[in-house]
Amino acid sequence: MLEFPLWRKLLLWGVTLFFALAALPTIFGQGHIRWPDALPNPTVNLGLDLAGGSHILLEADPSQVAATRLENMEESVRNAMRNADPRINIGDVSTRGGRLSFMVQDVSDVDRAREELLPIINGTGTVREWDLEVVDQTRFVLTQTAQGADQAVSSAMESATEVVRKRIDLLGTREPTIIRQGDDRIVVQVPGLEDPEALKELLGQTAQLEFKLVDYEALPTEVQAGIAPPGSEIFPFAEGSEQPGGQIAVRRLGGISGENLIGADLGFDPETNEAVVNIEFDGEGGRRFAKLSSENIGRQFAIILDDQVISAPVFESAIIGGSARISGGQNGFSTEEASNLAIQLESGSLPVDLAIVEERTVGPDLGADSIRKGMLAILIGSVAVIALMIASYGRFGVYATAALVFNVAMILGIMAIMNSTLTLPGLAGFVLTIGAAVDANVLINERIREERKRGRRVIAAVETGYKEASRAIYDANITNFIAGALLLGFGSGPVRGFAIVLIVGLATSVFTAVFLTRMWVAGWLRKARPTDIVL
């Protein structure tokens, strides 16, 4: 009991002071004293319910996913028939009624066409994504299966959730909550966000970027009337572009989409100093962009963002190297617009439009009131516990009190280093773990008291007390730790916040109650050599 080597003392004090010092920026940040910028600044973030912030519920339209799949299938079918050896000639492709149909011009190519289509319609998973039917001997009809449609929606929502997460992370916000709700909804909560409109604008854009060739054969009168020639489609010019209010016809297939983008960042035109977005394609995208531009020098192409043309420049030369620049057209981008667009492109386009169906701004007043009441409860409870511990256990109660203070500091310090978020349930977990720390000291002191009543000497009673009580403390905390780990693994949002505080608090309460107080008690026993103790 009295043997406490120097290395163990240094280790215990080192761990304690390291985590306690890490709590200082958080403690200073809650007051009016500014933490020096030159020092490390790990802090505990406050959740939406404590710091206030924005809550947004996004909803996708499954029918849009189906329409996108139909369009992609059309391009896949055309490529498959075009790349067949020898080529399989087909007539016009129809997507009417949500089904894709086309006719093979030579009846002898029907079997070959079926063989070309089978790998496409079966997909890569276990779910059959399309049903294939041949009617009137030469007409193929492809219909999306219900299982395939459900899988596509689920996949699109997973991708959309990840894109939303990347966009918010690029904003520099801390610990947002982004979770799926049901089949087609995403809940977004961003604590401390002072400008919810910026969040809505950032998440409300799909950021679907396309480069498509302009159709010169389209008649201007028909384009303005919204009538697109076969194989083309019409897009409006965006507000602020060179032709606001106008429309333009572009080739529906054969362009380049933004799926090959690997980077986008804010830049400035060296001549005009206007904000622009610099984009960079991967190897495949760079080759396709170079091919498209080199084969169409002198032709106009459209830069389409979310179904609106933001610019329609001319390929003056081949664009080689996979880099390009997007300007804001006639009026140019503001720095904020260009920055948001760069974030949207950098994080990838949303695979499906997300509509905002619910939005709430949580004010910080409620959270401040919760913090104030929580801190008051902790203060009153701590004072009462400290008074009771000292009155009941004397010197050992003082040790327990000091351990309690270090326990609180270590919890804050560890959470600050982990950059964790403290929510209202987390605050409850905080109080709960403080209670657990007090329980551990009560168990130890009561066990020592029992050993003294049995007639053991002071040192033997203290040693046996710590040894026997520690087993009960370990058992109790292990079961609580398992519960906390399950909450952390299967919970979400505030439940995970509670679990993190609980797990951290259990570890620090055992450390301070069992190891730290034992070191202090051993030091006092060695120095004072008492013949009796007051318990």
Side-chain angles (χ1 to χ4, degrees), residues 458-472:
V458 171
I459 294 177
V462 172
E463 184 171 8
T464 305
Y466 266 96
K467 183 178 179 181
E468 296 299 326
S470 296
R471 294 176 182 170

Side-chain angles (χ1 to χ4, degrees), residues 213-216 251 295-301 313-315:
L213 289 173
V214 173
D215 186 355
Y216 285 96
R251 298 285 180 83
E295 292 177 351
N296 295 280
I297 293 176
R299 291 179 61 87
Q300 194 178 15
F301 69 104
V314 174
F315 282 123

Side-chain angles (χ1 to χ4, degrees), residues 143-156:
T143 308
Q144 300 185 51
T145 64
Q147 295 85 353
D150 292 342
Q151 181 175 271
V153 171
S154 178
S155 177

Side-chain angles (χ1 to χ4, degrees), residues 157-171:
M157 291 305 296
E158 286 183 11
S159 300
T161 304
E162 189 58 30
V163 170
V164 169
R165 189 185 310 281
K166 287 181 180 177
R167 289 186 183 182
I168 294 178
D169 287 346
L170 290 172
L171 273 180

Side-chain angles (χ1 to χ4, degrees), residues 184-263:
D184 55 1
R185 290 186 169 187
I186 301 173
V187 176
V188 179
Q189 294 181 339
V190 185
L193 184 69
E194 297 178 353
D195 186 7
E197 290 301 320
L199 179 63
K200 288 165 56 179
E201 184 177 347
L202 184 67
L203 300 181
Q205 299 295 321
T206 308
Q208 183 70 45
L209 182 66
E210 298 172 287
F211 298 85
K212 293 192 173 184
L213 289 173
V214 173
D215 186 355
Y216 285 96
E217 298 177 357
L219 298 176
T221 53
E222 292 186 346
V223 171
Q224 292 306 314
I227 302 173
S232 296
E233 55 189 338
I234 294 176
F235 289 99
F237 277 90
E239 187 176 348
S241 61
E242 55 261 41
Q243 297 182 40
Q247 298 187 115
I248 193 169
V250 298
R251 298 285 180 83
R252 193 155 56 90
L253 303 176
I256 299 175
S257 67
E259 62 185 8
N260 294 111
L261 275 179
I262 58 173

